[in-house]
Each structure stands twice: as structure tokens, then as C-alpha cells.
Amino acid sequence: MKYIDEFRNKKLIDKVASEIRRSVEVNRQYNFMEVCGTHTVSIFRFGLKDLLPDNINLISGPGCPVCVTPNEFIDKAIALSARKNMIITTFGDMLKVPGSYSSLEKERARGADVRMVYSGIDALDLAKKNPGKEIVFLGVGFETTAPTVAQSIIAARKNKVKNFSVLCGHKTMPEALKTLTEDPRLNIDGFLLPGHVSVIIGITPYLFLPRRNKRCVVAGFEPLDILQAILMLVKQRTPKVEIQYTRMMNKNGNALARESMKKVFEEYPSVWRGIGAIKKSGLKIRKEFSDFDTDKKFIPKISKPKENRACICGDVIKGVKAPPECKLFGKLCDPEHPVGACMVSSEGTCAAYYKYAGR
Amino acid sequence: MEKITLAHGSGGTLMHKLIDSLFMKEFDNAILRRKKDSAVFDIGRSKVAFTTDSYVVSPIFFPGGDIGRLAVYGTVNDLAVCGARPLYLSLALIIEEGLDRNILEKIVSGAKDAAKRARVTIVTGDTKVVERGSCDKIFINTSGVGEIYYDGLSLDEIRPGDAIIVNGSIGEHAISVMASRESIDFKTKVKSDSSALNALIARALAISKGIRFMRDPTRGGVATTLNEMVERRSFGVAIDEKAIPVSAGVREACELLGFDPLYLACEGRVIMVVSKKDACKVLGAVRKDVNGKKAAIIGEVTRENKGKVLLRTSAGGKRLVGMLSGEQLPRIC
């Protein structure tokens, strides 16, 4: 397990943790946001908060793609699942997410054909094997998953597959970060930026952050990655964007992946659950590919989306509040009966608190 | 109207809630209330163990086993962890119309071979054929009867300080089945751990009176088994991530798909709770068995964290390990 064992080496972890403790200024508080849900899970899974000094406060950010997908998207997928000859395909995480009135998992138990796949290409293969059925793939996720979904649409066009479309809910990260820095309730000193997103987009889209006095480090997901990135954030005097994840990325990102995204998608103002609409933060399918756009192909009709008013997922997603501050947490909202998406997704902040910290 | 979902059968919290709120309530009796892997009761002067289980695995053939072998081993192990010598099994087949006869022959042959290895006799059975689409190729139900030869295994015997032993690397069955089902070709091949544990367990029980409790971590994996063990008890459990044997192939699959190996099903593994004094002796005995080569002490029973399972992580932190919630599903990224 090269590149995993090395980054879980206890001796090295202890060394970096001690260096963090030596490097912090004792009389100040450091507020660092880990933007990405995978970082959040890693921090909890490896108990990394135990290794940090008390004055480093790690705040979980909006980088769980399932958590920020609004009810309306799930409601549309559920409405489509009720149609005849329709197969809804999705990444595993999305199955349990509650929409306004139900979830795909519950609809599957009621008879809907909902299948878990590992990629858009898997969904496309299913379309080829089932010419009498319509296959809808739920396109969710950030810059990490969007290029592969773009590739599946390009491949569908090339192979003249007519029964495949994507319900597009992709989001992009930089504009969301801008929104966070503009929220007066948040006092963030620095960001742990998501390694896999950055592999695609490089560092250019983050360069506005140091100008807003925010320290930035692009980090990998193993314990040593995260601790090293925190050390780099602590030591950074003049805010800048540094890369800890050098083994996987360079500052320019992956131009080929960006090209396929650009070919199929265009930017538009996307609604983030709990945050609302953020300009240029979403991807929609370009007109040229509208044959593969579920929204255009089927125009799914849904009732008005509904949110539980007591759920504070929005504030949790933004890092303004921690899960235990929610009245529903652990009482009316748990992984079996999630009220908000933060509890259902394995990358959600509430689920991580509940599962790993028991509170 | 609430519908039963796949999560109700995953071995996790929802399944436990369903069992408690429906089956335990409706069928309530003293034997059932003990919630053992087998029902243990007296018939005349003999103390016997009786168990049943159904097998609906897909695909029906996977690296390291098949549904026939699995059905025999699963039932044998449920008897063995209760301190019983497995003796007689039933084998009931629900076959989907259209199944090739040679596939059925292979499954029956697998069950025959497994029974021979486990030294049990299949003495009764049943065959039903259902319309195409009514089941997935073949479902198997097995019941088993065994004679109790060691009557000291009980949750009530567990004491703080006791060691927790597992007989080998965890999660291999779940990953082998999933990789075959989804046609995922991991770099390191994983074979199911499916096997009969009655010989290994008998070997351990023969050398120590300090074995307090045993359970095989099937659905829900090691995490759920340990949670079942501490639930509503006056002790907790602490386990060491570094001590838990996980093969390279399982780790690779878990990293790729976002699974936690602690929740993966095993079909040839047993968790033993052993007195501190006898832990090394039992470990040595288990390691002498073909199914125990990689056995390890993975943690201990604690006075602290009552009712909870704590994991000391490889990085040096601590976290809780809850019961499986719903199904484990691959993450988006």
C-alpha cells in the first residue's frame, strides 16, 4: 500500500504533531477550515483532533457534495424514478439522502428501479445493455467527478446512445469559498483546500484567498497529509496558496480534464443546500448536449421543495455552527432517520460527529 | 406505510431495531431473549444448540467459495461459537426456474465438501422451485443441531481486562463477493475467508477455561459484533487499529471505495473474549489451526466507556466505533 502506509506512519505523525505544538503561538486561536468532506472524515476517523493543541480549531466546511445538493434535486430524481421504464443510476452516497418527501432508497423499496453505479460510464454501459429503458445518471460532486461525467456524455454522443441522460447537479468550489470569506459570522484564518479538486483546477482559482488575508494549503487526505498541511498553515506568515499534495498535483492542474468539463458544461448560479444560490458555482449541460440533459429531455415536475425549519444544516455546512448545537442532533436526527443531508452522507459533518465522536 | 429496505437486513442498527420491536416482542421467550448465535436448551439429559440461517449471496460463486459451502460453514460456525459440537444440518433450496442443472450440481457438491470438512451430516432438506424473477438464481436455508460440550460461554462472564482475539484478517468475504458482483478488478486478489471454525474453537476451548464469550462477525462485521457485545453492559471495549489484521487487498478496496474494514462481513472469523491470564495461551492454540495463522489480540475489555467501542487509531488518536448504520455504500469522492 505505497502512498498509504507512508502517510500513516506513527513516528512521522508524532514528529509533525510535536512540531505543530512547538510552532503555534500560545496566546492566539487558529481557525482553520477543512473545506472537503473527505478531510472531515479523515480527521475524525484517525482521531487527529486529539493530536492538536487546543488553540487550533478545525471547522468543517461545505465540501461534501451530497450535503450541498438541495432537496429539489433529490425530489426531481424521485419524480423521475416513478416513470415507467426508467432506471435511476447514482453514486452510493445519494441513495439515502432525504429529499422533501422521500429518499431514493425508500422509493427503491416501493418498487422504483434505482441502481448504484461507480461512474457515469457504468450508467452509460447500462444504457447500452437496456435499449428499451431510459437511464438517468445523477451527476453530483465537484470538480473531482464532473470531468468523468462529461466524458460519459461525450461517449454517449459518439456512440449514438439515445437512452442516456444526466440530471446535472455538479458544483464547483472557488465561488463557494468566496461566499464563506464574505460571511461576517465566520472568522477563518486559513483553509485546508481539497487535494482531489485541486488536481483538476490547479491553484489559480484560489489566488483571491490570500488577497483576502486567508492562508491556504492544498492537502491530501491521509493523516500525515493533513497534519503537515496544518503545520504549513501555522507557519505561513504571509498568506499564500501552498501545495502539500505535491505527489499528486502541480499548480496548473489537469488541462485535459478541464477541457472535457468545458466542452460539456457551462457555469451557472447554483443553489447550495443551506447556503442558497451562489453565482458561477454550478455546472449545467450546454445546449449542444441537451439530448443528454435530463432536465431538458424529461422536464421533471415536482411539488414545492420542503425543508425542516429546525435543521441547521446550512449553518453546519458553512462552519458557523457545530452539529451538537442543532436541537435535532442525535434526537430526531440520526443516521437511520436523517433530517438533513449532513447526517446522511458518510462525508457529512453531522454523520462524522455522530459516528466517530458519539455526540 | 413504512417499507422494509435493504438496510433492515444489513446487520446494523435498523436490523437490530426490527428484531427487538417485532420478532423479540411477538415470539418472546427465555431462550430467544439470550440472543445467542444458536438457541441453547435441554432435551432430556443433553444440552443442545439449534440454529438456522438463510443465504441469498450474489454472485453464487465467488473467489474462495460458493453459496453451498457458505450455507454449511455459516451454520456450523453459529453452533461452534456457542460451545457446541455441530452434528446435523438441514439444507433447504429455493431455486429459480431456469437455473442450469450443472450449476445446482456444483452448489450441492460445494455443500457436500463443506459438510465433510466440518464433519457434519446433512440429514434432511427441502426443494422448492419458484417462477423466474421470484428469487435470484438460488436461495439456501440451513438449520443445524449440535451438542453443547462447553457450557461456560456467556456475555455475563466477560470481565474488564479480558483480551479480545480475532483468528485472522477481517473483511475478506465481503470484499471478495463485492469485487465479483461489481466486476471490480483490484490489484491484489481477495479470496473469501469462508470456512468452518469448529475445529479451531474446539482446540481453543480444550486448553483454556478462560474463554468467556465468542461470536462470528458476519453481517455488520467486527464493529457491529463488538457493539452487540457491549450494548447495555457495564463494560466497554478498546481496540487497536494497528493490531487488527487487514490484508493488503481488503485495505486497497476499502481505500478506493471509502469502506471501513471494521464493518465488512466475515464468514470464517471468530471474535473471542479471553481472560487476560489465558490470552497468550489461547492465541498460541488458535494460531496452530489452519484458520488461525494470522490470529491477533486486537484489544481489551475496559471499565471505561461503558457500552461503547473505542478505537485507538494508527495515527495515535481515539474515536468511537458505532454499530453499522444502514448499508456501507461507496462514497462519491
Side-chain angles (χ1 to χ4, degrees):
Chain A
M1 293 290 281
K2 203 161 170 54
Y3 291 126
I4 294 218
D5 291 339
E6 290 88 337
F7 289 87
R8 292 181 187 177
N9 182 309
K10 178 81 168 54
K11 271 188 187 163
L12 286 174
I13 286 170
D14 287 346
K15 204 174 149 192
V16 179
S18 333
E19 208 179 333
I20 292 173
R21 283 193 290 274
R22 274 198 308 274
S23 305
V24 288
E25 293 169 39
V26 186
N27 296 322
R28 65 163 293 187
Q29 169 90 12
Y30 297 83
N31 292 323
F32 297 141
M33 175 177 273
E34 85 273 3
V35 175
C36 174
T38 313
H39 278 148
T40 303
V41 169
S42 242
I43 289 164
F44 278 95
R45 184 179 158 204
F46 293 101
L48 299 186
K49 287 188 181 182
D50 291 348
L51 309 178
L52 296 174
D54 290 343
N55 57 339
I56 292 186
N57 178 29
L58 292 181
I59 304 163
S60 304
C64 157
V66 171
C67 304
V68 294
T69 299
N71 273 356
E72 187 184 354
F73 182 90
I74 313 286
D75 294 349
K76 274 187 194 174
I78 288 170
L80 288 165
S81 76
R83 294 192 185 205
K84 218 177 161 191
N85 289 327
M86 182 72 84
I87 303 176
I88 305 291
T89 57
T90 176
F91 294 124
D93 266 17
M94 292 296 289
L95 282 173
K96 293 191 275 184
V97 183
S100 303
Y101 309 96
S102 184
S103 70
L104 287 165
E105 188 183 45
K106 285 181 185 161
E107 293 308 307
R108 186 170 67 178
R110 288 190 182 110
D113 196 345
V114 181
R115 302 189 197 179
M116 189 186 75
V117 290
Y118 294 91
S119 70
I121 294 291
D122 287 350
L124 183 61
D125 286 344
L126 196 66
K128 287 178 191 164
K129 284 178 196 153
N130 293 275
K133 303 260 186 181
E134 280 291 339
I135 313 298
V136 168
F137 177 70
L138 307 186
V140 287
F142 300 109
E143 289 91 335
T144 337
T145 50
T148 60
V149 176
Q151 281 300 335
S152 69
I153 291 176
I154 293 167
R157 159 76 43 91
K158 195 176 157 198
N159 295 308
K160 299 189 172 102
V161 182
K162 303 283 183 200
N163 59 332
F164 169 79
S165 66
V166 173
L167 185 64
C168 187
H170 286 291
K171 298 194 179 338
T172 50
M173 198 46 91
E175 288 296 326
L177 293 175
K178 204 171 271 181
T179 305
L180 293 175
T181 59
E182 285 160 4
D183 192 319
R185 293 175 297 168
L186 272 171
N187 181 23
I188 297 169
D189 299 298
F191 288 100
L192 256 91
L193 296 168
H196 45 21
V197 165
S198 314
V199 166
I200 310 294
I201 66 175
I203 63 163
T204 309
Y206 303 128
L207 292 178
F208 73 94
L209 287 165
R211 289 198 292 273
R212 295 185 179 197
N213 203 28
K214 306 295 175 199
R215 308 171 187 200
C216 297
V217 175
V218 179
F221 304 98
E222 293 301 320
L224 203 50
D225 287 319
I226 293 170
L227 291 174
Q228 192 186 13
I230 291 170
L231 179 63
M232 289 163 81
L233 282 173
V234 168
K235 284 185 165 178
Q236 214 177 82
R237 299 295 176 214
T238 313
K240 56 187 162 187
V241 182
E242 288 183 284
I243 303 173
Q244 179 279 332
Y245 203 37
T246 46
R247 69 183 183 281
M248 290 298 283
M249 67 166 290
N250 63 53
K251 65 186 173 73
N252 299 318
N254 183 333
L256 214 62
R258 284 200 304 273
E259 252 171 53
S260 62
M261 269 167 72
K262 213 169 172 182
K263 186 172 179 185
V264 174
F265 301 121
E266 59 186 326
E267 289 175 341
Y268 87 116
S270 173
V271 175
W272 293 54
R273 187 195 284 254
I275 299 180
I278 304 175
K279 62 173 183 173
K280 294 197 288 186
S281 72
L283 297 174
K284 69 172 183 181
I285 297 170
R286 288 182 185 276
K287 261 187 196 160
E288 303 92 283
F289 290 96
S290 57
D291 297 357
F292 305 100
D293 184 345
T294 307
D295 269 320
K296 299 276 161 45
K297 201 170 172 182
F298 299 106
I299 316 169
K301 287 197 176 63
I302 54 166
S303 309
K304 197 173 174 234
K306 192 178 74 171
E307 299 269 1
N308 185 319
R309 283 169 185 237
C311 171
I312 62 161
C313 265
D315 281 345
V316 171
I317 285 166
K318 279 192 280 189
V320 173
K321 287 188 176 164
E325 292 178 65
C326 179
K327 283 180 193 163
L328 306 177
F329 181 78
K331 295 175 187 117
L332 289 173
C333 182
D334 62 30
E336 267 73 49
H337 309 94
V339 176
C342 291
M343 183 59 92
V344 69
S345 164
S346 58
E347 294 197 342
T349 311
C350 293
Y353 265 76
Y354 190 93
K355 187 175 170 194
Y356 297 127
R359 56 189 159 84
Chain B
M1 172 73 84
E2 190 191 358
K3 301 276 183 188
I4 299 301
T5 67
L6 285 175
H8 284 101
S10 65
T13 320
L14 273 185
M15 197 182 85
H16 281 81
K17 281 182 183 164
L18 181 69
I19 290 171
D20 284 342
S21 65
L22 183 62
F23 309 126
M24 295 300 287
K25 197 175 121 202
E26 298 297 327
F27 304 134
D28 182 48
N29 62 63
I31 298 169
L32 198 60
R33 237 175 279 141
R34 285 184 213 133
K35 285 193 180 176
K36 285 194 167 192
D37 293 271
S38 300
V40 176
F41 46 82
D42 296 320
I43 297 182
R45 285 185 190 170
S46 302
K47 184 154 254 181
V48 297
F50 173 53
T51 192
T52 187
D53 211 337
S54 299
Y55 298 83
V56 295
V57 64
S58 172
I60 50 181
F61 297 97
F62 45 83
D66 59 73
I67 192 169
R69 285 171 207 275
L70 190 66
V72 171
Y73 290 149
T75 297
V76 163
N77 293 345
D78 279 345
L79 293 168
V81 294
C82 291
R85 186 175 299 110
L87 296 169
Y88 302 111
L89 260 56
S90 72
L91 192 77
L93 308 174
I94 297 169
I95 306 164
E96 186 182 19
E97 167 190 32
L99 186 77
D100 290 346
R101 185 184 159 104
N102 67 343
I103 289 177
L104 183 61
E105 282 172 4
K106 270 174 82 176
I107 291 166
V108 170
S109 157
K112 179 186 167 188
D113 182 56
K116 192 178 161 197
R117 285 169 191 264
R119 298 185 178 194
V120 291
T121 316
I122 295 168
V123 291
T124 184
D126 181 48
T127 309
K128 297 280 186 295
V129 179
V130 294
E131 276 179 29
R132 194 185 292 268
S134 298
C135 83
D136 185 9
K137 296 182 189 69
I138 187 166
F139 293 161
I140 300 183
N141 172 271
T142 43
S143 294
V145 178
E147 182 185 26
I148 295 282
Y149 66 94
Y150 187 98
D151 199 17
L153 300 170
S154 163
L155 280 170
D156 296 333
E157 296 297 319
I158 298 176
R159 303 278 177 271
D162 288 351
I164 293 162
I165 292 175
V166 67
N167 65 312
S169 45
I170 62 172
E172 281 157 17
H173 176 70
I175 293 299
S176 137
V177 169
M178 201 198 63
S180 332
R181 184 188 303 158
E182 308 289 347
S183 307
I184 302 175
D185 198 10
F186 295 113
K187 199 172 138 201
T188 319
K189 294 277 176 229
V190 180
K191 266 174 71 178
S192 167
D193 50 51
S194 164
S195 49
L197 298 173
N198 45 339
L200 177 146
I201 288 169
R203 189 192 282 266
L205 288 173
I207 63 131
S208 167
K209 298 282 174 213
I211 302 177
R212 323 276 205 198
F213 177 75
M214 280 190 245
R215 180 156 283 176
D216 50 340
T218 52
R219 277 169 308 165
V222 170
T224 302
T225 297
L226 292 176
N227 271 282
E228 286 167 354
M229 215 171 86
V230 298
E231 199 178 21
R232 291 195 280 272
R233 295 276 158 178
S234 59
F235 53 80
V237 155
I239 50 173
D240 287 297
E241 190 167 37
K242 275 171 97 173
I244 301 167
V246 182
S247 70
V250 169
R251 287 184 65 198
E252 185 187 334
C254 285
E255 292 304 324
L256 195 69
L257 298 168
F259 288 165
D260 186 339
L262 287 170
Y263 292 95
L264 296 176
C266 310
E267 288 292 346
R269 299 292 175 250
V270 58
I271 299 280
M272 291 180 173
V273 184
V274 185
S275 71
K276 198 175 178 179
K277 187 166 76 72
D278 279 9
C280 288
K281 194 163 77 171
V282 172
L283 184 68
V286 168
R287 280 183 177 164
K288 281 189 191 133
D289 190 277
V290 65
N291 291 313
K293 302 272 181 232
K294 289 184 185 161
I297 296 174
I298 60 167
E300 72 279 340
V301 177
T302 58
R303 274 183 212 288
E304 303 80 41
N305 297 304
K306 287 176 188 171
K308 288 179 178 163
V309 179
L310 186 87
L311 178 80
R312 295 185 282 253
T313 76
S314 53
K318 292 188 192 83
R319 68 160 162 99
L320 289 179
V321 178
M323 199 173 263
L324 177 64
S325 159
E327 296 169 89
Q328 272 210 114
L329 294 171
R331 286 189 283 117
I332 287 181
C333 58

